[in-house]
Amino acid sequence: MKKFALSLSTAAALALSSHIAHAQSSITLYGIIDAGLTYFSNLNGHGTFVANDGSIQSNRWGLRGVEDIRGGTKVVFVLENGFNLYSGTMVQSGVLFSRQAWLGLSAPKYGTFTLGKQYDFFWDNLTQFAMGQVAGQYAWHPGDFDHLAGTLHINNALKYTSPNYGGFSAGALYAFPSQSVPAGTGRVIAFGLRYSNGPLNLGAAYTDTHDLGLNAPTQAGTTLFPDLPAGPVIANSVSSFGIGGSYRFGRSLTRLLFTDTHFRVRDDNGSMTTYEANEVFQLTPATTLMGGYWYSKLEAQKWQNVTVLLDYALSKRTDVYTSATYLRASGGAAPVFLGGGAAPVFANGEYVSTGQSSTAVRVGIRTLF
């Protein structure tokens, strides 16, 4: 029995070493866990403390796989789950890999082609310029209608990203309509372009989504248009365009961003434009300070956001942070943070509850694995 067990383990070890040596394959388990406490100065007209998670980054775990099949060509895949730390539940009930689930081929000469549930090029090319990328959910633009926070998970997507040519790369995405629109989207077309050269980074993206489910009152404190109900709607189309850039000078990183999102819901049309500027400064190797401002406008509705964050790294994987965000809304819009849990009251499309502004103060801890 001992001889058999020894032979079996030896054979398994030899097979494994041969597989690693020749196929150069790997599977990586990774994730992010974020938890903390937030104080909202105006949540349905009251100051409230909330124990919440996934604020600076959404909680997730995933599997990333790579297999080198020949000549540098690789089979690649990602399966990524979103979860709620305090309850232990999945972010999207009944969907195991709610963030990403895709498989594809990648080659240095030809680029990368993937199939499955994927992000668009706002996430790939422009999120890196947004203050929400550092400060989290309360710093994102209204409702994340421009997809910078990664709330648009595109089903049935075919995606291509080119190799890097002199600092430039480009990409395109096409997604077939989901069988059930409320559970996904209709047809999606997206394009992206990025440039990187030393301290300078630039990006551009365009996404056109048909039959997209929106809950604008809870996402952004607006009904979008006065004649729409204060609840979920299906937008005929949501088309977003964005450009952004950053420049690093020593320990300071300056970032600028512009997005324009056009909504078509039934007979209504309108565009939300957002202008943003923020600065990230590395005070010490372990301490990061960020401050920024953005301004958004949709017809008469206006939003302004000022955010500051201080982050201290306890180790290579774990950090503690504190942030403060001031949000002011006017022109009929409510001061609702993305994921803030507010349920504003509207009459004829205009906010009628208490207060035009709200402040979110957050302390938290995050660890990576």
Side-chain angles (χ1 to χ4, degrees):
M1 189 62 147
K2 291 182 179 178
K3 183 177 179 181
F4 174 76
L6 179 62
S7 299
L8 184 61
S9 63
T10 302
L14 289 172
L16 179 61
S17 63
S18 175
H19 177 67
I20 293 174
H22 295 288
Q24 294 296 309
S25 63
S26 67
I27 297 178
T28 303
L29 172 67
Y30 66 92
I32 298 171
I33 305 174
D34 169 86
L37 184 68
T38 304
Y39 172 76
F40 295 100
S41 68
N42 180 9
L43 192 65
N44 300 323
H46 303 283
T48 306
F49 283 94
V50 177
N52 56 346
D53 61 296
S55 174
I56 195 168
Q57 280 187 287
S58 300
N59 291 319
R60 72 199 69 169
W61 67 268
L63 297 170
R64 182 181 296 111
V66 178
E67 181 185 10
D68 193 337
I69 51 177
R70 62 173 60 87
T73 300
K74 299 176 182 178
V75 176
V76 292
F77 73 84
V78 167
L79 302 173
E80 190 171 279
N81 166 272
F83 66 93
N84 301 302
L85 180 67
Y86 285 123
S87 64
T89 58
M90 292 187 292
V91 168
Q92 189 174 348
S93 179
V95 181
L96 178 59
F97 299 113
S98 58
R99 294 179 59 86
Q100 299 184 77
W102 52 260
L103 171 68
L105 292 171
S106 179
K109 186 176 180 180
Y110 301 107
T112 302
F113 178 72
T114 51
L115 307 93
K117 186 185 193 78
Q118 306 180 67
Y119 291 113
D120 66 359
F121 296 98
F122 276 81
W123 175 263
D124 294 349
N125 298 351
L126 295 179
T127 293
Q128 61 181 312
F129 308 124
M131 60 184 181
Q133 181 255 351
V134 177
Q137 69 187 92
Y138 310 128
W140 296 115
H141 301 164
D144 193 39
F145 297 133
D146 51 16
H147 321 145
L148 295 168
T151 55
L152 181 65
H153 309 281
I154 305 172
N155 297 330
N156 310 322
L158 313 178
K159 186 176 182 179
Y160 171 76
T161 304
S162 76
N164 188 304
Y165 295 108
F168 287 95
S169 64
L173 177 148
Y174 179 82
F176 298 91
S178 297
Q179 292 181 348
S180 174
V181 170
T185 62
R187 175 187 58 78
V188 182
I189 297 176
F191 302 97
L193 181 67
R194 66 187 303 172
Y195 174 76
S196 180
N197 183 9
L200 177 65
N201 284 276
L202 302 171
Y206 171 80
T207 300
D208 178 41
T209 306
H210 284 212
D211 302 319
L212 178 64
L214 301 175
N215 192 341
T218 58
Q219 284 181 256
T222 175
T223 62
L224 295 178
F225 305 106
D227 60 337
L228 294 181
V233 298
I234 300 295
N236 301 81
S237 69
V238 179
S239 300
S240 297
F241 168 76
I243 55 173
S246 68
Y247 189 85
R248 182 175 294 280
F249 184 79
R251 292 186 292 172
S252 182
L253 180 67
T254 301
R255 306 188 297 181
L256 301 174
L257 184 61
F258 168 79
T259 65
D260 186 339
T261 300
H262 185 82
F263 304 92
R264 183 166 64 87
V265 185
R266 302 172 187 170
D267 296 325
D268 293 303
N269 286 270
S271 290
M272 174 183 286
T273 55
T274 302
Y275 304 84
E276 179 180 332
N278 65 81
E279 191 81 15
V280 183
F281 191 78
Q282 202 69 38
L283 295 173
T284 71
T287 308
T288 302
L289 176 66
M290 191 220 70
Y293 166 84
W294 56 251
Y295 168 82
S296 292
K297 185 177 186 299
L298 174 62
E299 298 186 335
Q301 302 171 90
K302 300 176 183 178
W303 295 260
Q304 296 183 76
N305 183 300
V306 178
T307 297
V308 293
L309 172 134
L310 183 65
D311 183 286
Y312 181 76
L314 300 174
S315 68
K316 291 183 178 180
R317 296 190 308 142
T318 303
D319 61 316
V320 291
Y321 62 90
T322 182
S323 67
T325 300
Y326 173 79
L327 176 65
R328 179 170 180 80
S330 60
V336 172
F337 294 103
L338 181 67
V345 178
F346 292 88
N348 299 320
E350 292 198 3
Y351 172 60
V352 295
S353 296
T354 304
Q356 293 296 318
S357 65
S358 183
T359 300
V361 180
R362 167 86 172 174
V363 292
I365 182 170
R366 169 180 56 180
T367 191
L368 314 178
F369 63 88

